[in-house]
């Protein structure tokens, strides 16, 4: 028997919409789920935005203050898609109120923030899922299987890249994303957090790192009104960009493997150029998010001049079969969030974590804090 589960979405920018659409689609792709999400409340403090979301997506009620959700007995699970500086306060409060939480990375501004939310979730006995969506790609799941099975031998090194141009325009508005107090660590929290999670998901724990960071667009105009996404602003009062546009980082893993992680939000000519190359003693696996359904695989006994084959993922690779019946049918970004919603709801139904957890968020945030310290000192930092 399928039971109803009241859900709320706190923060209705782009990511709030993505979560909402995932709730609407999840049972279509995973009909075996024993719970059915029902949209109870949407919370947004920008005038009119919550009402528009309710009319469009069917939320029963709207609110301006997230505290109303914490006190609402109709709500059993909450998506936290508000700005980073609110993650800790909202996450802890929702867990203490007995609500399961699906929270976007990087879960606050620091490792201490992520740890506070993780501790609250554990103490309350609720489930917590984190928005590390790229690990949900079927090709990434297949790469992990090949690595774990020793198909490419012992992993020697990995390169993880996350290049985007969303902040490249000098007229990009000086929103909360560019402030230390509200946005935290810039491209570290926004993109490198995904890179750390992918590296750990594929290769295991990181033990030490050294990093360098830079700000390439040092000043932006303050917006004169409400913003959503990466809005442009002209004529507003100029202010300093306080957090990083770019990071490169050398990694050491517990396995003995080495890695390079590089991320930029101001890479002109690059749009969502995310991916990795993992090399082992007998082969390699290569993935590009922009060709999400393909995995480059090199394996065999040739070593030198060994070819790379392209595998088109299909049923049997990760959660692909929930979306398409045959190989090489395309999936998209929003599908990764449907998989994530499934992990979240399954965790609630079974009382056992599935997918990325708050523990993964703590590991990622710990690495980000170490990157910041290393960039300041120029030294290696142990995790």
């Amino acid at each position: 028997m399928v039971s109803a589960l009241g859900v709320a979405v706190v923060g209705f920018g782009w990511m709030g919409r993505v979560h909402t659409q995932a709730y609407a689609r999840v049972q279509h792709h995973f009909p075996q789920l024993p719970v059915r999400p029902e949209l109870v409340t949407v919370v947004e403090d920008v005038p009119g935005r919550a009402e528009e979301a309710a009319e469009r997506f069917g939320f029963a009620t709207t609110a301006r203050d997230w505290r109303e959700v914490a006190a609402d007995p109709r709500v059993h699970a909450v998506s936290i898609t508000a700005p980073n500086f609110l993650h800790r306060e909202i996450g802890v409060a929702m867990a203490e109120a007995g609500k399961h939480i699906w929270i976007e990375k990087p879960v606050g501004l620091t490792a201490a923030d992520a740890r506070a939310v993780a501790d609250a979730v554990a103490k309350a006995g609720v489930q917590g899922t984190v928005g590390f969506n790229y690990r949900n790609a079927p090709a990434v799941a297949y790469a992990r299987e090949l690595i774990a099975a020793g198909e490419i031998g012992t992993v020697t090194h990995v390169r993880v890249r996350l290049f985007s141009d969303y902040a490249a325009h000098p007229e990009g508005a000086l929103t909360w994303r560019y402030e230390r107090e509200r946005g935290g660590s810039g491209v570290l929290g926004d993109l490198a957090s995904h890179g750390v999670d992918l590296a750990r998901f594929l290769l295991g724990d990181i033990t030490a790192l050294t990093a360098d960071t830079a700000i390439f667009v040092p000043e932006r105009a303050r917006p004169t009104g409400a913003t959503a996404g990466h809005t442009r602003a002209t004529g507003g009062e100029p202010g300093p960009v306080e957090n990083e546009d770019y990071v490169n980082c050398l990694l050491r893993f517990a396995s003995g493997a080495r890695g390079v992680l590089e991320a930029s939000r101001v890479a002109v000519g690059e749009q969502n150029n995310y991916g990795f190359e993992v090399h082992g003693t007998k082969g390699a696996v290569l993935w590009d998010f922009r060709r999400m359904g393909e995995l480059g695989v090199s394996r065999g006994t040739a070593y030198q001049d060994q070819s790379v084959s392209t595998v088109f993922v299909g049923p049997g690779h990760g959660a692909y079969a929930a979306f398409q019946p045959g190989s090489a049918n395309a999936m998209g970004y929003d599908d990764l969030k449907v998989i994530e919603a499934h992990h979240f709801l399954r965790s609630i139904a079974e009382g056992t974590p599935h997918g990325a957890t708050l523990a993964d968020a703590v590991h990622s945030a710990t690495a980000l804090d170490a990157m910041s310290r290393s960039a300041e000192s120029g030294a290696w930092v142990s995790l």
Side-chain angles (χ1 to χ4, degrees):
M1 181 178 178
V2 177
S3 58
L5 184 82
V7 301
V9 176
V10 178
F12 207 82
W14 168 62
M15 189 53 66
R17 177 179 58 78
V18 173
H19 276 229
T20 301
Q21 292 175 165
Y23 285 129
R25 293 178 54 199
V26 66
Q27 282 204 308
H28 299 163
H29 298 282
F30 299 95
Q32 72 278 16
L33 265 175
V35 295
R36 181 184 70 255
E38 291 190 350
L39 301 177
V40 175
T41 304
V42 56
V43 181
E44 177 56 65
D45 60 5
V46 175
R49 191 178 287 175
E51 290 73 17
E52 180 183 352
E55 181 177 356
R56 181 176 178 184
F57 295 102
F59 288 93
T61 57
T62 65
R64 296 285 295 274
D65 190 337
W66 58 263
R67 293 170 185 82
E68 295 179 34
V69 169
D72 191 340
R74 299 174 301 165
V75 175
H76 306 99
V78 181
S79 280
I80 301 172
T81 54
N84 297 349
F85 66 95
L86 296 171
H87 285 189
R88 177 174 180 162
E89 183 181 12
I90 297 174
V92 170
M94 293 301 177
E96 290 178 344
K99 318 292 188 186
H100 306 285
I101 63 171
W102 177 11
I103 186 168
E104 278 304 313
K105 37 58 63 182
V107 189
L109 306 182
T110 64
D113 286 350
R115 198 170 291 113
V117 178
D119 289 347
V121 164
K123 184 176 180 179
V126 296
Q127 296 298 319
T129 296
V130 180
F132 289 128
N133 41 266
Y134 298 108
R135 63 157 63 189
N136 297 326
V140 176
Y142 183 45
R144 190 182 193 222
E145 289 180 15
L146 293 176
I147 293 167
E151 290 292 321
I152 65 169
T154 300
V155 173
T156 54
H157 55 98
V158 61
R159 182 171 77 102
V160 182
R161 69 186 185 284
L162 299 107
F163 297 145
S164 188
D165 65 355
Y166 66 80
H169 203 292
E171 292 179 1
L174 187 67
T175 65
W176 61 267
R177 292 181 181 278
Y178 303 99
E179 300 174 1
R180 283 285 179 193
E181 185 176 350
R182 297 193 298 165
S185 56
V187 76
L188 273 69
D190 197 16
L191 295 180
S193 58
H194 282 299
V196 171
D197 184 67
L198 280 173
R200 286 189 62 251
F201 185 68
L202 295 169
L203 273 66
D205 285 341
I206 299 166
T207 58
L209 58 80
T210 184
D212 186 30
T213 63
I215 297 172
F216 295 128
V217 183
E219 188 175 84
R220 298 179 183 273
R222 301 185 188 279
T224 56
T227 61
H230 306 293
T231 308
R232 292 205 201 157
T234 56
E237 181 184 351
V241 172
E242 298 174 349
N243 52 29
E244 307 86 353
D245 288 326
Y246 171 83
V247 60
N248 65 62
C249 183
L250 300 179
L251 306 169
R252 292 175 181 165
F253 294 85
S255 65
R258 297 298 193 264
V260 176
L261 188 158
E262 190 177 15
S264 175
R265 64 187 183 188
V266 295
V268 175
E270 301 283 8
Q271 299 87 39
N272 300 320
N273 182 359
Y274 309 152
F276 56 76
E277 298 91 40
V278 181
H279 295 270
T281 53
K282 296 193 300 181
V285 289
L286 324 168
W287 182 69
D288 186 329
F289 168 66
R290 298 165 300 177
R291 304 175 71 93
M292 192 171 77
E294 302 176 17
L295 184 69
V297 179
S298 177
R299 53 181 167 175
T301 57
Y303 298 99
Q304 188 175 1
D305 299 325
Q306 185 163 286
S307 63
V308 177
S309 299
T310 298
V311 175
F312 296 99
V313 295
H317 297 138
Y320 183 92
F323 297 86
Q324 301 293 346
S327 299
N329 283 295
M331 291 176 60
Y333 176 90
D334 284 17
D335 295 328
L336 303 184
K337 285 301 191 183
V338 174
I339 296 170
E340 205 165 89
H342 174 244
H343 288 321
F344 180 45
L345 297 172
R346 184 182 173 195
S347 299
I348 294 170
E350 298 179 4
T352 302
H354 294 278
T357 67
L358 268 302
D360 295 310
V362 171
H363 280 291
S364 178
T366 299
L368 300 184
D369 282 3
M371 289 180 198
S372 294
R373 296 199 305 274
S374 175
E376 291 177 0
S377 68
W380 281 85
V381 176
S382 297
L383 276 66

